[in-house]
Amino acid sequence: MNIEKQLETAVRTNHLVLVVFYADWSPHYEWIGPVLRTYEKRTIELVRVNVGEDKAIADAHNIDTIPAFLLLHKRNELWRQVGELTVEELKDVLDDFK
């Protein structure tokens, strides 16, 4: 499934959707998947967007600096972080919106 379709499907659910914008030369934040799996019943969907391959999606969300993170629910932006993010910071944000 392409990223645009994956994002569209994810935002139609009742789950929180964490969108991670990155580039091949930037950190891929591989630790995010395992962190999200610690939340019960998969209440959070993860969508990774490579801005080099999917610039239109980054542009649609006004992303011009990476890494960037968006937390969405039903197409509404709940939270945005541009720049580095630690495991603890992500857990705090997710706990606030759970």
Side-chain angles (χ1 to χ4, degrees):
M1 179 183 313
N2 72 30
I3 296 299
E4 192 169 349
K5 234 178 211 181
Q6 182 183 358
L7 184 58
E8 186 62 33
T9 300
V11 296
R12 283 193 214 140
T13 69
N14 198 33
H15 296 164
L16 294 173
V17 179
L18 179 64
V19 186
V20 178
F21 294 89
Y22 71 95
D24 287 335
W25 49 265
S26 74
H28 291 228
Y29 292 89
E30 297 300 328
W31 55 262
I32 288 179
V35 169
L36 295 184
R37 283 191 287 279
T38 66
Y39 288 84
E40 70 279 347
K41 296 185 183 164
R42 190 110 166 93
T43 57
I44 303 169
E45 298 288 333
L46 175 62
V47 178
R48 290 185 174 98
V49 178
N50 183 329
V51 298
E53 296 173 2
D54 296 295
K55 183 154 177 31
I57 295 172
D59 290 345
H61 291 282
N62 298 315
I63 301 297
D64 52 9
T65 303
I66 54 170
F69 307 85
L70 294 181
L71 188 63
L72 307 172
H73 184 256
K74 301 250 183 208
R75 301 187 200 288
N76 297 312
E77 183 177 317
L78 303 176
W79 170 82
R80 175 183 290 246
Q81 165 78 30
V82 176
E84 298 295 316
L85 182 69
T86 67
V87 172
E88 292 76 24
E89 290 169 330
L90 178 61
K91 285 181 178 179
D92 288 345
V93 168
L94 296 177
D95 288 342
D96 286 347
F97 288 104
K98 237 175 49 153

